[in-house]
Amino acid sequence: MTPQPTLSETPVLQPEKGQKNIEVPITQPAKTQKPTQPPKPKVKASTKPQSPASTPAYEEKTTQPNKQKDEPKAGAKNNDGKVYVPGFGWVEDQGDNKGNTSESDGDWNKQVGSMD
């Protein structure tokens, strides 16, 4: 008689050893309850039913556009010498724009260094 494997042992299949019949205890799966249907939403009863041939009637409402914030215009200056830039707020005035000339020959594809 061969010893039965215990639950702590895992049977190992080794075809080269010649053992052909291995019994593994099988447990029955636990029974689970059937899923329940979610509750159906309640339909609100309207006060006056409308026929499908008529167009729906809506209450008239007056709407007002959103009031815009009182923001200064772009480039406005305040008493502190700051300039208003939309999206950034009040920033320090840096003066007029300055431009420089370049000493490049215009070839943007020029190799700048050596690639050793």
Side-chain angles (χ1 to χ4, degrees):
M1 182 172 202
T2 60
Q4 293 290 326
T6 61
L7 292 177
S8 62
E9 293 180 12
T10 305
V12 179
L13 299 176
Q14 295 177 344
E16 64 273 358
K17 296 223 176 179
Q19 187 176 3
K20 294 186 180 178
N21 295 333
I22 296 178
E23 292 184 26
V24 178
I26 298 175
T27 59
Q28 293 294 328
K31 293 184 180 180
T32 58
Q33 295 179 353
K34 292 183 180 178
T36 59
Q37 293 289 336
K40 293 184 178 179
K42 295 180 182 178
V43 178
K44 293 182 181 178
S46 63
T47 55
K48 341 180 228 185
Q50 294 181 347
S51 67
S54 68
T55 57
Y58 299 106
E59 294 179 25
E60 250 184 74
K61 295 181 182 178
T62 57
T63 58
Q64 299 292 330
N66 293 337
K67 294 181 181 179
Q68 292 188 359
K69 297 178 184 176
D70 294 334
E71 289 185 354
K73 292 185 178 182
K77 293 186 179 185
N78 67 2
N79 296 337
D80 296 334
K82 295 184 177 183
V83 178
Y84 183 77
V85 179
F88 293 97
W90 293 100
V91 294
E92 291 188 28
D93 188 8
Q94 299 293 321
D96 293 334
N97 293 335
K98 298 175 184 155
N100 292 332
T101 57
S102 173
E103 296 179 14
S104 172
D105 61 356
D107 186 10
W108 293 103
N109 295 322
K110 186 188 299 183
Q111 182 177 349
V112 176
S114 66
M115 299 182 63
D116 292 338

